[in-house]
Amino acid sequence: MLELAHTATRRDNLKLLAYMIGAAVFFTVTLFISFFAVIVALNNSDIPGEEKPNMFMLGLVPPSIGTLLLFTKVFGRFM
């Protein structure tokens, strides 16, 4: 009986690890896509060159919100 409880805990830990790795990969991929989109948008805009680095930080917003939604809406159903 003790062995069964230990196995369930190990399974839960592996499941949590898989969720964390999945979220990290999701964040990384969306971060690359978001920064690429911001770079393309800034190159096509009429924003002065000295202001462009400040606008580059907007690339952090979509991955952060997407990962938060991933944790709360998608992974929340499985926990």
Side-chain angles (χ1 to χ4, degrees):
M1 184 122 159
L2 182 61
E3 200 58 42
L4 180 63
H6 181 68
T7 305
T9 304
R10 180 177 290 166
R11 186 179 310 134
D12 290 340
N13 288 340
L14 288 175
K15 191 164 103 174
L16 182 61
L17 178 64
Y19 288 152
M20 291 297 192
I21 291 171
V25 169
F26 175 80
F27 181 80
T28 304
V29 169
T30 55
L31 186 69
F32 286 145
I33 292 169
S34 179
F35 277 156
F36 178 75
V38 167
I39 289 169
V40 170
L42 287 175
N43 283 337
N44 292 330
S45 69
D46 294 331
I47 298 174
E50 60 271 359
E51 295 296 321
K52 286 183 180 181
N54 296 332
M55 303 299 283
F56 192 68
M57 298 305 284
L58 292 173
L60 293 172
V61 174
S64 301
I65 293 173
T67 305
L68 179 70
L69 291 175
L70 179 75
F71 270 123
T72 57
K73 301 295 181 188
V74 177
F75 289 161
R77 294 180 185 165
F78 299 112
M79 297 303 243

